[in-house]
Every structure is written in structure tokens, then in C-alpha cells.
Amino acid sequence: MQGYENKNALISEIEKTAALFIGEFSEVKEEDKDKLVDGVDRTPAQMIAYQLGWLNLVMGWDKDEREGKHVVTPCEGYKWNDLGKLYQSFYNKYSVYSLAELRDLFDNTVSNFIKWLEGFSEEEIFTQGSRKWAQSTPSNWPVWKWVHINSVAPFKSFRGKIRKWKKANNQ
């Protein structure tokens, strides 16, 4: 069973959930971007960095495969059973950016992600085994599932996190 009727439905859901997620950050003050609050496991900057990291990883897997390179998932030097270190690498990479810059990077990365996805045929998105990198775990998901769990799903769950963060921070 597939989760979307076609590629356009998947793209539409990415656009919608990305806009809702990043829209939540318009009220966050720059001086609070690195602030942790009780009950929320990431700062606002870390929430955006997480999204940027995963979107770029997925596109990178596909780019490497198309170039004939050996694809390592989740990433060279990191294992699926120890993702905390990978997340920290995302936070470190994007820590130099202001909140406004992170929001712009997010918007640009989502645009690139959608353009990348538009380059797939329906068959490539919805057929299991169309990409080697998508077969890299025992789950052997089709591309759409990898796209969903690294875009739509975290955009929704992290929207809840930032809303909880804003409430705890009186924003």
C-alpha cells in the first residue's frame, strides 16, 4: 500500500507541511534560537538543522548513486543505531547561521528537494527497489516512504515541538 496517490500529492504534502513548520519560527526571537526549554529536546535552531540535515542526506544518497559512488546510509561514519551523533553533526554544521538564515536555508532546501523529487518518474517513486540506497536497510522501502519519513513526518512532529517550545518560552 502506498501513502500517496501520485507524485503530485506527495509534493503537495511536502509543500504544505514545510510551510506550516517553518512558519512557526517567525515569532521566535534570534536571541532565543539556541535556548532549550523543559519538555522539549531541541532548540529552535536544532529543529531546523535536523530538517536540513536529513533533506540533504536523502538527496545526497541519490546523487551519489547516480554518479556511481558507493552510498553509505545514513552517512559515512554513522550507524542507524546511533543517530544522536549524526544529529549533533547537523547541529554543529548549521550552528553558525542566524535564525533568519536558517529559515532561508530551509526554504531553499525544500525547493531543491521538490525539484529533485520532480525528476523522478511515478514508477521510480512508488516501486520498491527502484534505487539501491532505498534498499540499504532491511525495510527496503520505496523512495516515497524515505521521502515521507524525512520530510512530511518530521515537519509535522517538529511543528508540535516548536509550538510546545514557544508555549514554554512564552512566545
Side-chain angles (χ1 to χ4, degrees):
M1 179 181 136
Q2 52 191 56
Y4 298 93
E5 60 192 53
N6 58 41
K7 175 171 64 171
N8 290 336
L10 176 58
I11 289 170
S12 177
E13 189 68 6
I14 293 168
E15 291 171 332
K16 179 182 128 195
T17 56
L20 289 170
F21 166 73
I22 205 64
E24 293 291 341
F25 292 84
S26 64
E27 303 159 3
V28 176
K29 298 173 188 154
E30 175 64 31
E31 60 267 19
D32 291 336
K33 77 176 180 84
D34 297 315
K35 183 177 181 182
L36 275 173
V37 298
D38 286 339
V40 182
D41 63 348
R42 290 175 177 87
T43 69
Q46 289 174 334
M47 291 180 208
I48 298 173
Y50 177 98
Q51 310 304 326
L52 291 168
W54 277 111
L55 292 173
N56 284 307
L57 267 184
V58 174
M59 289 187 290
W61 297 336
D62 197 60
K63 178 181 181 282
D64 286 350
E65 182 173 321
R66 286 183 283 113
E67 292 175 354
K69 297 176 184 173
H70 175 69
V71 178
V72 177
T73 61
C75 185
E76 189 72 42
Y78 299 95
K79 302 283 185 205
W80 286 110
N81 64 354
D82 193 15
L83 292 175
K85 291 176 185 172
L86 178 61
Y87 302 159
Q88 190 60 52
S89 76
F90 298 159
Y91 308 152
N92 294 344
K93 178 178 181 176
Y94 295 103
S95 66
V96 298
Y97 296 98
S98 70
L99 192 55
E101 290 169 327
L102 286 170
R103 291 176 64 204
D104 287 344
L105 277 170
F106 178 83
D107 287 340
N108 290 333
T109 302
V110 169
S111 291
N112 290 335
F113 194 76
I114 289 168
K115 286 177 194 163
W116 166 74
L117 196 54
E118 287 171 338
F120 283 82
S121 68
E122 296 281 330
E123 184 177 331
E124 289 171 318
I125 292 174
F126 295 106
T127 303
Q128 200 169 9
S130 70
R131 289 294 199 270
K132 287 180 185 173
W133 59 260
Q135 301 171 27
S136 65
T137 64
S139 62
N140 191 24
W141 290 329
V143 169
W144 79 265
K145 183 92 173 188
W146 284 99
V147 167
H148 175 83
I149 65 161
N150 289 293
S151 63
V152 174
F155 296 165
K156 287 180 178 180
S157 64
F158 278 71
R159 183 176 182 222
K161 286 180 186 281
I162 189 59
R163 292 171 72 113
K164 185 175 180 180
W165 182 95
K166 289 189 316 186
K167 185 175 182 180
N169 201 45
N170 298 314
Q171 289 190 14

XYZ file of all heavy atoms in Angstrom, residues 2 9 66 115 159 163:
56
model
N 0.565 2.171 -0.839
C 1.332 3.402 -0.854
C 0.571 4.506 -0.133
O -0.638 4.488 -0.040
C 1.701 3.812 -2.272
C 0.560 3.868 -3.250
C 1.065 4.009 -4.679
O 1.847 3.199 -5.143
N 0.610 5.023 -5.349
N 0.694 14.522 -5.286
C 0.110 14.513 -3.937
C 1.218 14.541 -2.885
O 1.108 15.237 -1.871
C -0.787 13.291 -3.756
N 23.575 7.980 -8.528
C 23.562 8.331 -9.948
C 24.972 8.544 -10.494
O 25.222 8.325 -11.674
C 22.697 9.567 -10.202
C 21.201 9.275 -10.113
C 20.323 10.478 -10.442
N 20.299 11.402 -9.307
C 20.827 12.628 -9.314
N 21.394 13.118 -10.383
N 20.759 13.396 -8.240
N 12.305 19.982 -6.386
C 12.846 19.880 -7.753
C 13.479 18.512 -7.975
O 13.309 17.893 -9.033
C 13.882 20.977 -8.006
C 13.291 22.341 -8.204
C 14.391 23.386 -8.384
C 13.807 24.774 -8.229
N 14.825 25.786 -8.001
N 6.806 20.470 14.152
C 5.906 21.615 14.316
C 5.300 21.568 15.716
O 5.191 22.590 16.401
C 4.800 21.617 13.265
C 3.905 22.839 13.395
C 2.868 22.908 12.290
N 2.076 24.113 12.441
C 0.773 24.157 12.272
N 0.095 23.075 11.912
N 0.118 25.293 12.443
N 5.956 24.431 18.660
C 4.784 25.032 19.314
C 4.875 24.848 20.826
O 4.582 25.765 21.591
C 3.498 24.451 18.748
C 3.267 24.872 17.300
C 2.113 24.104 16.694
N 0.864 24.577 17.268
C -0.065 25.224 16.578
N 0.121 25.483 15.308
N -1.166 25.606 17.161
